[in-house]
Amino acid sequence: MEEKIHEKIHWADAKAAQVAADAPQLIATGITPSGPIHLGNMREVMTGDMIYKALLKRGIEAELVYIADDFDPLRKVYPFLSDEYQKYIGWPVSDIPCPCGKHKSYAEHFLDPFLSAIEELDIHPRIIRTSEAYRSGMFTEQIKQALVHAEDIKEILERVSGRKLEEGWTPYYPICSSCGTISRAAILSHDIENHTVTYKCSCGHEGVSDYSKGEGKLVWRVDWPMRWSVHGVTVEPFGKDHASPGGSYDTGKIITKEIYGYNAPVPVTYEWISLKGKGEMHSSKGVVLTIRDMLDVVPPEVLRYLIAKTKPDKTIAFDPGMGLLRLIDEYDKAAVVGESREYELSRIASPQTTIPFRHMVTVVQIARTDDAIFDILKRSGYEIVDKEAVLDQANRAKVWLERYAPEDAKFAVAESLPEVAANEKPEVKAAVVAYAKIVTDAEWKADVLHNAVYDAAQATGVTGKEVFTGIYRAFLGADRGPRLGWFLEALGREETLKRLLEMSL
Ligand SMILES: [Zn+2]
Ligand SMILES: [Zn+2]
């Protein structure tokens, strides 16, 4: 019995149960905006948000922050960048010009669409930009400690990670005032009083770096645990790359304790999301669906549902084609029941329609105008409450057809009777005409229209399959099409009968 109850606990609630209920919690998420922020990255923020909401539900005081690691250096010229970016390698992404010219920096270029996307996903964290945090001087004391305890930190890193660090290793990288890179400069001296170091950059330049002004940053493995202690992070989701034995979480746990006297946050390791047939999503390899791409097609609550229904430590193979339609169906079913915790953690107050997405995919391929969309939907018995929400959904269906739909999900209604239908065998023509007569006065409902195919087949001695094919050919010039009942229901009685009766000529 005990076991069974345990199984039913949602992963976000299970995590929320691990923290001290009597202390305020800070859930930190963070992504380096060095390229398009994709669905895989989003898992971090959505995971954090769900734990945040689970904490609130337990009555625990909590806050969600998103830390933009915009002080990280550009590592290479990614496939989506022009060669001009060669000269910015090693620069903090907050200091590099934006690729389109409309944003304050390279980092903001990628952050901007991401921040508006998380709003749409009903995620509202406090945003911290690492570049601003460093330049505000809020880390001055901690950087000083890292420099003073450089040897201790080096010992921890070597012991826990099993990796040997080079002679003269330093936890602090100055930004070279000559070449602009956060370089592997050698630290020559440290003036504790004036919070400065002198350095010799690999470019040959020797200079002074004032760490109270953000003229440099701590190396990642020290930077991360340092920030836990300053921001007061108590829960943090991170990718599995940081979770390996001897990895940055393991070393960070000891550094934050021994150098900063702070306890590491409760870890939440999450797995990657791969794109079906294409592999793991990586900005650097160009295998991505950006979060903006996704929200053009997927309602935000369905994206949340994808993350909510999957435990963080399970990989997700995302299929934006038919797999996406199945996911939307699944969400719609969960919404009808309205009880599951996954659903509760997914639903948001976005404009809704009651129209199944699959149906909309058919409707937009029949309708030539927005008005026609409304006509079709009304004919199918849908009450149009929010016109804008309907058009939003219609647009998502169009984008899906354009970008992700398999060929056999697409169709176009021919302007006149296609040749293949005109040349149909006489017995099939007769069956199609019989069908038209059967449905002339029938209720114009998808299931009625579907079942009438078999009545027509029986009455004329051909197979049901032949009647289906005959009808598809009459409208689409193809042997297959969308679910016939829905299709004809959407098309309407008048247009259906007019076309089918042409088969009798
Ligand atoms: Zn830009
Ligand atoms: Zn330099």
Side-chain angles (χ1 to χ4, degrees), residues 175-181 183 185 199-205:
I175 299 176
C176 174
S177 60
S178 171
C179 69
T181 63
S183 61
Y199 63 89
K200 185 173 179 16
C201 177
S202 52
C203 76
H205 179 72

Side-chain angles (χ1 to χ4, degrees), residues 418-476:
E419 246 189 64
V420 62
N423 298 331
E424 191 65 87
K425 285 186 292 189
E427 63 268 32
V428 175
K429 279 187 172 179
V432 170
V433 171
Y435 175 83
K437 287 181 177 155
I438 291 170
V439 299
T440 297
D441 295 313
E443 194 190 355
W444 207 256
K445 278 267 146 252
D447 54 340
V448 176
L449 294 168
H450 179 89
N451 293 334
V453 168
Y454 300 101
D455 298 337
Q458 203 164 33
T460 53
V462 298
T463 66
K465 187 165 176 267
E466 283 174 301
V467 183
F468 276 112
T469 309
I471 297 173
Y472 283 129
R473 285 179 175 175
F475 291 102
L476 312 175

Side-chain angles (χ1 to χ4, degrees), residues 98-103 105 108-109:
C98 121
C100 78
K102 289 185 194 133
H103 301 90
S105 71
E108 295 302 318
H109 176 85

Side-chain angles (χ1 to χ4, degrees), residues 14-34:
K15 258 317 157 191
Q18 281 182 24
V19 306
D22 55 355
Q25 301 295 319
L26 186 77
I27 306 106
T29 63
I31 296 164
T32 303
S34 57

